[in-house]
């Protein structure tokens, strides 16, 4: 069996430094990607929960009969309809009704919370109700929460891109620094006819080994951190935070991210090494 030793090798300090940097950057990349996936899942769940729900407020008692008739006639389009009683509204508005504000009870509207079968059914009933009552969709009322969720996804994706950029810069620097340290070996290899691809392959083997160890460690540390974040979010019980989650496909994508980082590092190493050899 013919042995093919690696021509280049990193000194011990270089190896430790690069492993630590790559492990840290992989950890940040996995956490940023995981947070983006979790928030994205939460926004989708949040929208699906409230997209087909609306509140009807009958401000004028004279229109109550007309609105009730419309609701009854569209029973096939309505999944459920619940009237919010005066006592329930009084409990919700207790801080405003107490302390001499009892007169406001005379102006409490008659309210229904309605869940529709489809978006078309909701739009049809909304058109029929017209000016007889206020028709408030829950999705529009909670638009600010959804918008905040998308902004958080954008921020997480931006952090992920910055981390990947930092990985590319570090790999390029390490490859260039290693090539300069072994400039004498490069000259000898060129004299004996070694091709650029052979030299680049030697560098790629070194980088691949270090990145495999570092990326594995980064993922192993990042996964429990993501589970802790999801556990803290679920403890909120209500709201968008409670909807956060990562599906099975999401975890698979997170697992593929370190693999993609390793492939990216190998590619950067080849490009950097070949460019150095051409310039020399």
């Amino acid at each position: 069996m013919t042995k093919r030793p690696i021509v280049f090798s990193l000194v011990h300090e270089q190896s430790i430094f690069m492993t630590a940097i790559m492990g840290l950057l992989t950890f940040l990349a996995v956490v940023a990607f995981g947070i983006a996936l979790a928030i994205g899942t939460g926004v989708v769940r949040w929208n699906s929960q409230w997209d087909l729900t609306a509140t009807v407020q009958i401000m004028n008692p004279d229109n109550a009969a007309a609105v009730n008739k419309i609701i009854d006639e569209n029973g096939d389009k309505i999944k459920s309809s619940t009237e919010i009683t005066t006592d329930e509204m009084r409990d919700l508005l207790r801080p405003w009704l107490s302390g001499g504000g009892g007169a406001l009870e005379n102006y409490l509207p008659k309210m229904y919370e309605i869940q529709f079968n489809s978006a078309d059914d909701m739009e049809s009933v909304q058109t029929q109700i017209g000016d007889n009552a206020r028709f408030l969709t829950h999705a529009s009322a909670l638009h600010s929460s959804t918008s905040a969720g998308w902004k958080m996804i954008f921020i997480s994706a931006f952090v992920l891109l910055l981390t990947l950029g930092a990985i590319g810069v570090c790999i390029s620097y390490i490859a260039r620094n290693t090539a300069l340290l072994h400039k004498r070996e490069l000259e000898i290899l060129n004299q004996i006819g070694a091709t650029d691809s052979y030299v680049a392959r030697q560098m790629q083997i070194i980088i691949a080994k270090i990145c495999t160890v570092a990326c594995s460690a980064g993922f192993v540390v990042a996964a429990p951190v993501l589970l802790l974040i999801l556990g803290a979010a679920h403890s909120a019980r209500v709201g968008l935070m409670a909807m956060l989650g990562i599906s099975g496909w999401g975890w698979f994508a997170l697992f593929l991210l370190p693999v993609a980082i390793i492939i990216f590092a190998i590619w950067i190493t080849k490009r950097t090494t070949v460019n150095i050899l051409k310039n020399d």
Side-chain angles (χ1 to χ4, degrees):
M1 181 177 180
T2 304
K3 293 184 179 180
R4 296 181 178 179
I6 299 175
V7 177
F8 307 114
S9 62
L10 298 178
V11 297
H12 185 64
E13 291 77 9
Q14 276 186 312
S15 180
I16 294 177
F17 171 76
M18 186 175 177
T19 302
I21 288 296
M22 288 300 298
L24 176 60
L25 292 176
T26 301
F27 167 80
L28 294 176
V30 172
V31 170
F33 189 33
I35 291 175
L37 289 175
I39 297 175
T41 302
V43 170
V44 172
R45 291 175 178 174
W46 183 260
N47 287 339
S48 62
Q49 180 180 4
W50 302 113
D51 269 351
L52 302 179
T53 306
T55 298
V56 175
Q57 298 180 356
I58 306 175
M59 310 303 295
N60 188 348
D62 296 336
N63 297 331
V67 173
N68 289 333
K69 182 178 179 182
I70 293 173
I71 294 175
D72 293 337
E73 291 177 348
N74 291 275
D76 58 326
K77 301 178 181 179
I78 296 175
K79 186 176 182 179
S80 64
S81 177
T82 304
E83 180 180 355
I84 301 177
T85 64
T86 302
D87 291 337
E88 291 173 336
M89 285 189 287
R90 186 182 295 111
D91 291 337
L92 291 173
L93 300 175
R94 186 179 303 277
W96 293 271
L97 296 179
S98 60
L104 292 175
E105 294 187 18
N106 299 326
Y107 299 94
L108 292 178
K110 187 174 183 179
M111 298 176 59
Y112 291 92
E113 187 175 278
I114 305 175
Q115 186 175 6
F116 296 89
N117 295 320
S118 67
D120 292 335
D121 293 339
M122 177 187 289
E123 184 177 353
S124 175
V125 174
Q126 182 178 7
T127 302
Q128 294 179 46
I129 289 178
D131 297 331
N132 291 319
R134 295 181 61 188
F135 192 95
L136 305 174
T137 62
H138 288 196
S140 60
L142 299 171
H143 175 72
S144 58
S145 298
T146 303
S147 177
W150 287 116
K151 290 178 181 177
M152 293 173 65
I153 293 175
F154 175 78
I155 293 173
S156 300
F158 182 68
V159 172
L160 176 60
L161 290 177
L162 290 179
T163 305
L164 294 178
I167 290 174
V169 172
C170 288
I171 294 297
S172 179
Y173 173 78
I174 292 295
R176 183 177 297 275
N177 190 37
T178 303
L180 293 176
L181 288 175
H182 296 278
K183 188 175 182 180
R184 180 58 180 169
E185 288 87 339
L186 287 176
E187 293 175 352
I188 295 174
L189 287 173
N190 285 331
Q191 290 175 3
I192 64 177
T195 62
D196 291 350
S197 60
Y198 174 81
V199 178
R201 192 178 305 115
Q202 300 299 310
M203 294 289 296
Q204 286 177 294
I205 293 173
I206 298 172
I207 300 300
K209 289 181 177 180
I210 292 177
C211 288
T212 300
V213 174
C215 292
S216 300
F219 179 81
V220 169
V221 176
V225 172
L226 287 174
L227 292 176
L228 288 175
I229 293 174
L230 293 177
H234 292 164
S235 65
R237 298 184 181 276
V238 294
L240 179 60
M241 292 291 291
M243 297 290 178
L244 300 187
I246 301 177
S247 64
W249 285 106
W251 283 109
F252 182 68
L254 284 173
F255 173 77
L256 290 180
L257 181 59
V259 178
I261 290 175
I262 295 172
I263 296 174
F264 177 64
I266 294 173
W267 178 78
I268 287 290
T269 300
K270 182 177 181 180
R271 289 288 301 272
T272 303
T273 305
V274 170
N275 288 336
I276 292 174
L277 294 173
K278 287 181 178 179
N279 293 332
D280 290 341

